[in-house]
Amino acid sequence: RRITIDGAGNIYASNYQSNNVTKITPAGAVSILGSTGSYPYGITKDGAGNIYTANANTNNVTKITPAGVSTILGTTGFNTGPWGITIDGAGNIYTANSLSNNVSKITPAGVSTILGTTGTSPRDITIDGAGNIYTTNAGSNNVSKITPAGVSTILGSTGTSPRDITIDGAGNIYTANSGSN
């Protein structure tokens, strides 16, 4: 469903119907890196080359090592439907939970908590250098900001049904809005 790229130019794709991650090398070699929970939507990587997926149907996060070893890192809570996923410099994982309108934080040890609330049906997530979390909220057409302390606010409005989000070095937020093109 989504992709990420590492420093060597390898592409990793989360495959939500086959519950795995595909790796495509710059030379075009394709292989299955590892298995995931059910319906992996979001995908991200860390500096050590580990891949993480947000698994919408099993409400958890999978970690896949560069050697292809898959483990469930932690849960996002009951009936949360995580779609988006990001990671901070300390290795904490954050998921945008589409069904429960909140963000989960999972530590490298697998301890899971709810960091804060979002607008309706968050689909994607990003983090800035200060540790603030931002989500696109497809059901309420806005962006949420959650501070590292868990304080949630609506940052601003978007086009219709925002699906993807990114932030630039100056702190500007950009969204891709599927409902309004």
Side-chain angles (χ1 to χ4, degrees):
R1 182 108 170 114
R2 295 211 169 128
I3 63 171
T4 191
I5 301 172
D6 68 18
N10 296 299
I11 299 170
Y12 302 89
S14 61
N15 304 309
Y16 73 98
Q17 290 187 327
S18 56
N19 303 322
N20 57 30
V21 169
T22 301
K23 177 182 178 181
I24 306 168
T25 69
V30 179
S31 62
I32 300 297
L33 178 64
S35 61
T36 65
S38 180
Y39 275 63
Y41 278 98
I43 188 169
T44 195
K45 62 176 177 40
D46 66 17
N50 297 301
I51 300 294
Y52 302 86
T53 61
N55 308 312
N57 279 2
T58 47
N59 305 304
N60 57 25
V61 169
T62 300
K63 175 183 177 181
I64 306 173
T65 68
V69 177
S70 298
T71 57
I72 298 299
L73 179 62
T75 66
T76 58
F78 176 74
N79 200 31
T80 55
W83 274 48
I85 189 169
T86 194
I87 189 169
D88 69 16
N92 296 299
I93 298 290
Y94 301 89
T95 61
N97 302 322
S98 182
L99 298 178
S100 57
N101 304 321
N102 59 26
V103 168
S104 293
K105 176 182 178 181
I106 303 172
T107 68
V111 177
S112 180
T113 57
I114 299 300
L115 179 64
T117 59
T118 65
T120 306
S121 195
R123 301 296 181 162
D124 200 18
I125 190 168
T126 194
I127 190 169
D128 69 15
N132 296 300
I133 299 291
Y134 303 88
T135 64
T136 55
N137 306 310
S140 53
N141 302 321
N142 56 26
V143 170
S144 294
K145 176 182 178 181
I146 305 172
T147 68
V151 177
S152 301
T153 57
I154 297 299
L155 184 63
S157 298
T158 65
T160 306
S161 194
R163 300 293 174 155
D164 295 308
I165 190 169
T166 193
I167 188 168
D168 68 16
N172 297 301
I173 302 288
Y174 301 90
T175 63
N177 308 307
S178 68
S180 56
N181 300 319

